[in-house]
Amino acid sequence: MKKINNKLPSGNYNIFIGKNILSKLTKEIEHLNLHKNVLFIIDRNVNKYYYKYIFDNIKAKFNKSDSIIINSNELEKRIASAEKIYSQLIQKKYGRDTLLIAIGGGIVGDIAGFVAATYMRGIQYVQIPTTLLAAVDSSVGGKTGVNFGDAKNIVGCFYQPKLVLIDTHFFKTLNQSEIICGMGEVVKYAFLSDVNFYNYLNLNLNKILKLEPNVIEKVIYESIKFKCSVVMQDEREDGLRKILNLGHTFAHALEIAQKYKIKHGQAVIVGIVCSLFLSNRIGYINKENLNLYLKFLNIFKSKIKLKNLSTDEMYKIMLKDKKNRNGKIKFVLPIEIGKIFIDAECSVSLIIDSISESIKFFVNK
Ligand code: GLY
């Protein structure tokens, strides 16, 4: 088992990573003196496959506990889902001394975190991510929120969990598309972090896709370690943390344009390819490095399908991105591994061109 301590201005918390470590939650609840009035917020599929595993392993003596099961679907990551949880909390008389335990992927974690941040002005919560994507990214760092209208994660706040427990036992039912999804965020860290991690991923991509235990644990550990090093310096994304949005401006627009038929992590891979082309077009990455980086991402070509994508529509959606300033889209662009430019402004024609090149990359298998 591996452990990382995320030291933040708003408080410290531990992140544990390992196989079959769920039973550790009981000890940690005692150790951290967390509240014993517990509402579990569990993903529907996770509940179906792991109900027994979860409740055989969590043996803490709660004063009271209930569960609410939710669907992991971007279209349901909305205020209405949060309202259902508030109703349950109020109806069952949960007070400020409540602990929410989120067990599921990024959507479950984001909604649960949002409810924890807002119910009675803030209650405790624990993240138990069950997908690779949630493990390496969304469960750590305290971004919580829901979609509203046609904007992604537009309503939300920064609110940190008390604990993150990553039990890779949950990964055994992940299908290939969910693994690819998680890889979207992992690949992001490859560009942000350093040449060692990039080379390690380059050598081990096939093993990661097969979720080989030692390799996957190292990948999660290195990804989170890097993310924490960034979030520690800039918890509320005033500067450095923006790098974690590499590929995300394109990705969010793509998800919306494809009516969420493409998953977030897959969209991030496409978004990173768009960023690479854009970075090349404005002269940050030379042709040789562009080709090298695209070769690294080749493995994902056959695994991501883009249907009827209009570059103009994607551009229009990007104009509504929450990271824009003064009506200008701000991009995070890679220069080389470990070297990133933030808040780049680019001409419309270059943005459209980079989307078109990226579509060609994924269409020409
Ligand atoms: N997912 C990007 C961040 O947490 O800042």
Side-chain angles (χ1 to χ4, degrees):
M1 184 180 70
K2 293 185 166 63
K3 175 178 157 184
I4 296 172
N5 181 244
N6 199 11
K7 288 194 193 77
L8 299 175
S10 64
N12 286 353
Y13 57 93
N14 284 329
I15 299 150
F16 294 98
I17 307 155
K19 195 160 186 198
N20 296 321
I21 60 165
L22 188 60
S23 59
K24 188 160 178 55
L25 180 66
T26 307
K27 219 168 114 203
E28 287 301 306
I29 288 176
E30 291 302 332
H31 175 68
L32 298 168
N33 201 14
L34 298 181
H35 295 312
K36 302 280 175 46
N37 299 319
V38 174
L39 182 69
F40 288 91
I41 303 181
I42 309 177
D43 167 78
R44 186 167 304 285
N45 278 324
V46 171
N47 189 59
K48 184 163 140 198
Y49 294 112
Y50 296 100
Y51 179 88
K52 189 167 158 26
Y53 179 71
I54 293 170
F55 292 101
D56 278 356
N57 276 286
I58 303 179
K59 296 268 186 233
K61 291 204 169 37
F62 298 128
N63 297 334
K64 65 171 178 176
S65 79
D66 291 282
S67 303
I68 181 160
I69 309 301
I70 62 176
N71 297 324
S72 285
N73 175 339
E74 277 291 342
L75 291 168
E76 292 186 41
K77 188 176 135 181
R78 308 193 78 82
I79 288 192
S81 298
E83 282 176 349
K84 275 189 208 151
I85 305 172
Y86 298 139
S87 299
Q88 181 95 326
L89 285 164
I90 294 167
Q91 199 191 328
K92 301 239 158 89
K93 298 192 170 27
Y94 279 92
R96 269 211 165 137
D97 54 351
T98 296
L99 172 67
L100 292 191
I101 301 181
I103 310 182
I107 294 170
V108 171
D110 282 7
I111 298 176
F114 180 68
V115 170
T118 47
Y119 184 66
M120 296 198 174
R121 300 200 175 93
I123 55 175
Q124 300 176 336
Y125 79 114
V126 167
Q127 290 276 23
I128 304 187
T130 58
T131 63
L132 181 60
L133 185 137
V136 295
D137 190 55
S138 58
S139 63
V140 173
K143 274 190 179 176
T144 77
V146 293
N147 305 328
F148 190 89
D150 62 359
K152 259 210 90 172
N153 298 337
I154 198 86
V155 177
C157 45
F158 292 95
Y159 191 68
Q160 303 294 341
K162 293 288 174 200
L163 170 75
V164 180
L165 205 147
I166 301 167
D167 181 350
T168 56
H169 173 80
F170 286 110
F171 291 1
K172 78 178 184 190
T173 42
L174 292 181
N175 60 30
Q176 268 291 303
S177 100
E178 281 157 333
I179 298 168
I180 299 294
C181 233
M183 286 307 294
E185 301 290 353
V186 172
V187 159
K188 176 184 86 177
Y189 297 121
F191 285 98
L192 302 181
S193 171
D194 59 29
V195 174
N196 288 341
F197 191 48
Y198 174 82
N199 288 341
Y200 180 83
L201 291 178
N202 221 342
L203 275 177
N204 290 292
L205 273 177
N206 278 313
K207 289 187 184 161
I208 300 168
L209 293 176
K210 288 188 200 131
L211 295 179
E212 281 195 18
N214 292 342
V215 179
I216 205 70
E217 228 174 88
K218 178 176 166 66
V219 165
I220 297 171
Y221 177 77
E222 295 296 338
S223 300
I224 297 180
K225 203 169 71 162
F226 179 79
K227 179 165 185 175
C228 289
S229 73
V230 172
V231 177
M232 275 175 203
Q233 295 174 66
D234 177 23
E235 186 176 351
R236 298 181 65 86
E237 202 171 298
D238 295 317
L240 180 68
R241 187 169 179 170
K242 291 180 189 176
I243 64 170
L244 300 179
N245 295 324
L246 173 64
H248 280 60
T249 302
F250 290 106
H252 287 165
L254 176 60
E255 286 175 80
I256 294 163
Q258 304 260 287
K259 305 204 168 30
Y260 295 111
K261 290 203 172 79
I262 184 163
K263 288 188 175 167
H264 176 67
Q266 293 175 331
V268 169
I269 296 174
V270 180
I272 291 173
V273 172
C274 293
S275 311
L276 290 171
F277 278 111
L278 187 54
S279 199
N280 168 255
R281 297 303 189 259
I282 64 173
Y284 289 167
I285 296 185
N286 62 32
K287 190 80 190 152
E288 198 187 338
N289 277 348
L290 174 70
N291 288 336
L292 210 65
Y293 301 150
L294 290 175
K295 199 168 154 215
F296 166 60
L297 297 170
N298 247 340
I299 191 165
F300 299 108
K301 269 185 171 181
S302 59
K303 306 190 190 300
I304 294 175
K305 294 190 177 38
L306 300 176
K307 282 196 199 118
N308 308 324
L309 188 61
S310 145
T311 48
D312 288 345
E313 189 193 352
M314 235 179 102
Y315 176 73
K316 277 194 200 126
I317 300 170
M318 284 162 74
L319 287 173
K320 292 190 205 161
D321 192 275
K322 66 177 174 309
K323 299 181 289 306
N324 297 351
R325 293 291 174 269
N326 305 322
K328 296 251 165 52
I329 307 173
K330 301 284 188 175
F331 291 96
V332 178
L333 296 179
I335 299 173
E336 56 189 58
I337 301 303
K339 204 163 163 203
I340 306 293
F341 190 95
I342 51 180
D343 287 340
E345 288 179 12
C346 307
S347 72
V348 182
S349 61
L350 289 188
I351 299 169
I352 303 263
D353 174 66
S354 62
I355 302 172
S356 306
E357 288 299 322
S358 178
I359 295 173
K360 275 191 230 152
F361 176 82
F362 284 95
V363 171
N364 300 328
K365 308 282 183 213

